[in-house]
Amino acid sequence: MRVSNVTVRKRLLLALIIGILIFLIIDVRLGYVQFYLGDMLTGRAKDSWSRNIPFEPQRGEIVDRNGVPLATNMSAPTVWVVPRQVKDPAATAEKLASVLNMPKETAYREITQKERIVRIKEGRKISHEKAKEIRA
């Protein structure tokens, strides 16, 4: 059985139109993801793979001409909180507030922030004894 040239041309044209439509749908979707969602997805990827933990560098000692230190470095702990790891924010805020002499509401607000890691302002450069109390 023979198929006429007109039928073959119609089928080829239909296959070409379907192919172009499929290509356009894929192309539009890729463009949407690349140009519209690209910045958001890049930000999410960077957040999941990196974490900024600031640290203070060790300062140099001041010595006299004989090498005797006049001013030295003293380490002082700082309180950092990872809010996602806190199981009971209310109890933790109460204990932290009592050790650091800060209001409970402020401590609770600091502990429940939507950040990866939070530095408690009142917990900066505390004594080693207070650091032991907080660890306990």
Side-chain angles (χ1 to χ4, degrees), residues 40-60:
M40 179 196 60
L41 294 174
T42 302
R44 282 186 182 177
K46 285 180 181 178
D47 287 343
S48 71
W49 285 100
S50 64
R51 183 189 311 184
N52 293 331
I53 301 176
F55 68 95
E56 296 178 12
Q58 186 175 13
R59 300 178 66 179

Side-chain angles (χ1 to χ4, degrees), residues 2-131:
R2 282 190 78 193
V3 181
S4 69
N5 285 339
V6 175
T7 306
V8 171
R9 285 184 184 171
K10 285 181 181 178
R11 288 180 184 171
L12 284 175
L13 184 62
L14 181 65
L16 178 66
I17 290 173
I18 290 173
I20 289 174
L21 283 175
I22 291 173
F23 177 75
L24 283 175
I25 290 170
I26 292 172
D27 197 34
V28 167
R29 176 66 179 161
L30 287 175
Y32 172 74
V33 169
Q34 179 69 34
F35 297 116
Y36 186 72
L37 298 178
D39 292 335
M40 179 196 60
L41 294 174
T42 302
R44 282 186 182 177
K46 285 180 181 178
D47 287 343
S48 71
W49 285 100
S50 64
R51 183 189 311 184
N52 293 331
I53 301 176
F55 68 95
E56 296 178 12
Q58 186 175 13
R59 300 178 66 179
E61 291 185 340
I62 299 174
V63 295
D64 66 1
R65 65 181 179 176
N66 298 323
V68 177
L70 299 174
T72 61
N73 295 323
M74 299 292 292
S75 66
T78 300
V79 179
W80 294 86
V81 175
V82 180
R84 291 183 184 174
Q85 294 179 354
V86 176
K87 302 283 188 240
D88 185 9
T92 305
E94 186 175 334
K95 291 175 186 176
L96 197 60
S98 67
V99 174
L100 295 177
N101 299 325
M102 62 188 287
K104 293 177 188 174
E105 296 80 23
T106 306
Y108 184 79
R109 198 174 329 115
E110 295 273 340
I111 290 174
T112 57
Q113 286 185 13
K114 298 279 188 205
E115 298 289 328
R116 287 183 179 264
I117 188 166
V118 177
R119 182 175 74 179
I120 306 295
K121 293 176 184 71
E122 288 81 359
R124 188 169 182 264
K125 295 186 178 183
I126 60 174
S127 67
H128 289 285
E129 291 78 25
K130 281 189 178 183

